[in-house]
């Protein structure tokens, strides 16, 4: 191994240690010691971020685009080391880490292109009408401005694409906002090497040191101090409903409340419509099992619930899903805690009234084996726990009597990141009757596919009504994600010399 972590946090250009350490728990390879992040580090990072904002927030789009591209280049230069430590810490296969690295550098370059085009600034101009009666109209110009320092919480399940230099960081830096990142304990070495890449890009591009800091985890104090810090103006977060809600509440309780963009849990219901079930129920069941077990089911878009009619076609769907799931061997999970939470979720289902086990397994240690359960619409609607996300390869089939019951069930779902329709041409009317409900429930509605594998694109929405996210007006994936870190400012009758460069 060529990269050995030194275990420090990057605070405004300096690598800092604290008096206490935690030891990483890799799925394979050597463990390493890391200095626990401290409130003192958070304070220094936030102060440096605020200081950096006075230059970085006023840098040109071209300067920021070049900086984002330099980060991507520096990540690529460390590619093999990132894959090695990333696979060790997360237990994810090398191919996944390589793909995720491509997605991460792709996101950085996408935001570079996006800000170069400048459409995101949403520039508006109402020309003055001095002769308008009864009152003249002033000259009004509007543009989106960066909000100031942003806190980012690295996600456990995407050590690269939703972490240190992931989508939240890329969107904030593109907007002109310095970032203070709270590293996730599940992959501190991966966070460190990516922070080294950002550090190198800061130096080569002549950016202010405070534009990026990484405070390693190891204590709840760090995350709490970060969201409460008065210089932080917004938070990007991916993780659990419980953790996200706690931090969201802290943001709301501040003297100056700030937006908390939390991407939390989702069970991503999939509706198998009758004609599709009849024509290809078994094929869909097999495909569903594949999506459900991809990455040990550790995706926020994991389609945990399938809704299908009672009867022979539905039976074929369930049988095919069961057979495909039974083929899947134990998969390593991201952390011991996540593996334990998966087993706890399994217990919730095992002990439920009106929930039939279809395939039950016993997994050990940090691994997970798939589980499949079945229930009906009445039982589902009466038991709130059945709609809670179980992070991992666990599926629940809800059998319904027909489309009307599918609609009733759909109305009972909480906010979701995605909702999927499996449909054939003969299902169009039924699908149309579901659409008004699904649009209200989910950030993304898709047909004849599976929701895992989120495209990073202009028209992507990765968000949704609570509890899928804490802010339904936003997405954490795609170019629209930059809007979270912008604020419209109107300039009335200002002389050209005072207007922002992008408006002049
Ligand atoms: P998590 O427990 O929500 O932790 C995410 C981050 O928030 C970590 O940095 C954690 O700090 C911090 N945090 C959580 N609660 C906090 C609190 N009360 N005060 C201050 N900081 C807090 O998520 P996780 O560790 O990644 O995974 C645990 C569970 O989250 C999984 O089993 C799964 O259910 C869910 N999850 C969901 C998604 C999704 O995309 N929907 C993604 C990942 C995980 P520490 O590191 O110090 O604990």
């Amino acid at each position: 191994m060529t990269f050995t972590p030194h275990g420090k946090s990057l605070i405004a250009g300096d690598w800092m240690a604290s008096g206490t350490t935690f030891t990483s728990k890799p799925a394979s390879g050597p463990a390493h010691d890391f200095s626990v992040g401290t409130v003192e580090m958070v304070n220094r990072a936030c102060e440096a971020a605020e200081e950096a904002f006075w230059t970085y927030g006023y840098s040109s789009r071209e300067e920021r685009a070049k900086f984002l591209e330099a980060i991507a280049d520096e990540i690529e230069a460390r590619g093999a080391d990132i894959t090695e430590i990333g696979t060790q810490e997360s237990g994810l296969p090398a191919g996944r880490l390589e793909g995720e690295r491509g997605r991460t550098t792709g996101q950085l370059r996408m935001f570079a292109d996006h800000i170069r085009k400048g459409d995101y600034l949403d520039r508006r101009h109402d020309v003055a009408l001095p002769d308008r009666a009864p009152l003249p109209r002033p000259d009004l110009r509007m543009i989106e401005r960066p909000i100031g320092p942003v806190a980012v919480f690295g996600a456990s399940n995407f050590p690269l694409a939703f972490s240190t230099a992931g989508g939240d960081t890329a969107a904030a830096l593109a907007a002109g906002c310095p970032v203070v990142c709270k590293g996730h304990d599940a992959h501190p070495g991966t966070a460190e090497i990516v922070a080294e890449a950002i550090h190198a890009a800061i130096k080569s591009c002549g950016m202010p040191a405070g534009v990026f800091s990484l405070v390693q985890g190891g204590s709840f104090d760090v995350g709490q101090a970060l969201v409460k810090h008065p210089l932080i103006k917004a938070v990007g977060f991916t993780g659990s409903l419980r953790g996200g809600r706690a931090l969201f509440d802290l943001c709301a309780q501040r003297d100056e409340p700030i937006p908390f963009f939390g991407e939390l849990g989702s069970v991503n219901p999939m509706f198998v419509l009758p004609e599709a079930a009849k024509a290809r129920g078994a094929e869909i069941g097999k495909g569903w099992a594949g999506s459900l077990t991809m990455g040990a089911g550790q995706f926020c878009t994991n389609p945990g619930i399938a809704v299908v009619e009672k009867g022979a076609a539905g039976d074929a769907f369930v049988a095919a899903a069961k057979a495909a799931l039974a083929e899947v061997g134990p998969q390593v999970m991201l952390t011991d805690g996540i593996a334990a939470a998966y087993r706890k979720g399994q217990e919730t289902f095992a002990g439920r009234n009106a929930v039939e086990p279809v395939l039950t397994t016993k997994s050990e240690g940090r691994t997970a084996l798939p589980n499949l359960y079945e229930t009906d619409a009445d039982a589902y609607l009466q038991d709130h726990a059945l709609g809670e996300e179980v992070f991992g390869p666990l599926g629940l089939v809800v059998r319904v009597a027909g489309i009307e019951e599918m609609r009733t069930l759909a109305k009972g779902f909480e906010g979701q990141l995605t909702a999927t329709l499996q449909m054939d041409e003969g299902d169009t009317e039924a699908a149309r009757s579901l659409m008004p409900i699904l649009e209200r429930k989910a950030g993304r509605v898709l047909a004849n596919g599976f929701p895992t594998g989120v495209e990073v694109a202009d028209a992507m929405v990765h968000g949704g009504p609570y509890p899928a996210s804490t802010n339904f007006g936003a997405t954490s994936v795609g170019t629209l994600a930059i809007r979270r870190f912008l604020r419209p400012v109107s300039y009335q009758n200002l002389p050209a010399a005072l207007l922002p460069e992008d408006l002049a």
Side-chain angles (χ1 to χ4, degrees):
M1 177 163 171
T2 41
F3 172 71
T4 304
H6 50 59
K8 295 175 185 164
S9 287
L10 175 65
I11 310 298
D14 296 322
W15 290 101
M16 289 178 61
S18 65
T20 43
T21 58
F22 69 93
T23 306
S24 64
K25 293 188 182 137
S28 63
H32 301 283
D33 286 343
F34 291 85
S35 270
V36 173
T38 63
V39 174
E40 162 64 12
M41 289 178 188
V42 169
N43 291 341
R44 282 181 66 165
C46 292
E47 281 154 24
E50 171 67 11
E51 197 185 313
F53 183 69
W54 295 110
T55 47
Y56 189 71
Y58 297 85
S59 59
S60 72
R61 288 181 278 128
E62 183 57 30
E63 284 167 322
R64 292 202 301 282
K66 287 207 171 97
F67 176 44
L68 294 169
E69 287 165 344
I71 298 173
D73 292 345
E74 294 288 352
I75 288 173
E76 274 163 5
R78 292 162 176 78
D81 284 345
I82 291 175
T83 298
E84 187 180 26
I85 186 114
T87 50
Q88 289 178 349
E89 290 187 329
S90 68
L92 295 168
R96 158 71 194 272
L97 262 290
E98 279 157 15
E100 212 184 303
R101 189 174 76 237
R103 181 182 167 140
T104 307
T105 53
Q107 284 175 160
L108 289 158
R109 294 192 175 111
M110 175 193 74
F111 275 114
D113 288 348
H114 188 59
I115 59 174
R116 276 197 182 103
K117 284 187 202 129
D119 296 349
Y120 79 100
L121 294 167
D122 196 9
R123 285 171 277 214
R124 297 166 189 222
H125 185 191
D126 295 311
V127 180
L129 299 174
D131 301 327
R132 189 181 71 175
L135 287 172
R137 183 171 82 179
D139 183 87
L140 285 169
R141 290 167 199 257
M142 196 284 285
I143 192 170
E144 296 282 353
R145 297 290 303 144
I147 56 174
V150 166
V152 169
F153 283 71
S156 59
N157 59 339
F158 278 89
L160 299 174
F162 277 93
S163 274
T164 319
D168 288 343
T169 298
L173 291 178
C177 299
V179 168
V180 180
C181 178
K182 148 79 171 65
H184 199 292
D185 301 356
H187 53 259
T190 315
E192 182 183 304
I193 190 170
V194 173
E196 275 188 355
I198 301 175
H199 186 40
I202 289 173
K203 285 201 272 191
S204 69
C205 296
M207 288 295 174
V211 80
F212 177 84
S213 292
L214 167 72
V215 187
Q216 291 285 14
S219 134
F220 268 9
D221 295 358
V222 168
Q224 294 177 0
L226 183 56
V227 302
K228 288 198 290 194
H229 199 287
L231 293 172
I232 292 294
K233 296 299 172 201
V235 182
F237 173 94
T238 303
S240 67
L241 177 55
R242 188 203 278 197
R245 183 59 200 244
L247 294 170
F248 170 90
D249 288 342
L250 284 179
C251 286
Q253 286 156 15
R254 290 167 42 128
D255 287 345
E256 180 200 353
I258 52 168
F260 177 87
F261 297 100
E263 197 265 85
L264 313 176
S266 191
V267 289
N268 302 296
M270 176 180 85
F271 298 83
V272 186
L273 299 187
E275 295 301 319
K278 256 186 249 159
R280 50 194 176 91
E283 187 193 321
I284 299 169
K286 191 174 169 207
W288 181 51
S291 181
L292 201 61
T293 52
M294 191 189 284
Q298 301 167 114
F299 286 112
C300 36
T301 50
N302 196 35
I305 292 190
V307 183
V308 63
E309 270 190 329
K310 292 172 181 163
D315 290 348
F317 166 85
V318 176
K322 178 183 176 179
L325 291 173
E327 298 276 297
V328 179
Q331 288 175 286
V332 181
M333 298 203 88
L334 294 160
T335 65
D336 292 330
I338 288 176
Y342 175 65
R343 282 193 273 279
K344 209 162 166 217
Q346 199 180 329
E347 279 166 25
T348 311
F349 280 76
R352 276 309 197 267
N353 270 344
V355 175
E356 297 293 327
V358 179
L359 173 76
T360 53
T361 58
K362 197 170 171 332
S363 50
E364 283 170 4
R366 194 163 150 177
T367 64
L369 282 160
N371 285 278
L372 185 62
Y373 298 90
E374 186 175 316
T375 190
D376 61 26
D378 279 345
Y380 182 88
L381 290 170
Q382 280 165 28
D383 192 346
H384 185 263
L386 299 180
E388 285 171 16
E389 179 189 48
V390 177
F391 202 59
L394 183 145
L396 175 68
V397 183
V398 185
R399 305 295 293 264
V400 293
I403 290 299
E404 211 31 61
E405 203 167 49
M406 257 192 204
R407 284 166 47 84
T408 307
L409 189 70
K411 283 183 187 156
F413 280 119
E414 295 189 303
Q416 303 290 334
L417 292 170
T418 71
T420 302
L421 291 165
Q422 299 293 353
M423 58 179 288
D424 280 359
E425 222 176 295
D427 292 313
T428 303
E429 273 314 305
R432 195 177 281 140
S433 77
L434 277 166
M435 279 304 291
I437 307 167
L438 301 187
E439 280 172 357
R440 286 190 70 184
K441 297 286 176 184
R444 176 164 56 112
V445 182
L446 63 146
N448 294 334
F450 297 98
T452 39
V454 183
E455 192 67 34
V456 182
D458 287 336
M460 176 50 69
V461 172
H462 190 62
Y466 187 84
S469 84
T470 52
N471 192 308
F472 57 70
T475 171
S476 61
V477 176
T479 50
L480 208 57
I482 197 172
R483 289 230 187 127
R484 297 172 299 168
F485 308 124
L486 295 166
R487 188 173 67 79
V489 178
S490 187
Y491 302 86
Q492 185 170 332
N493 287 341
L494 283 198
L498 298 188
L499 291 173
E501 194 182 306
D502 277 322
L503 264 186

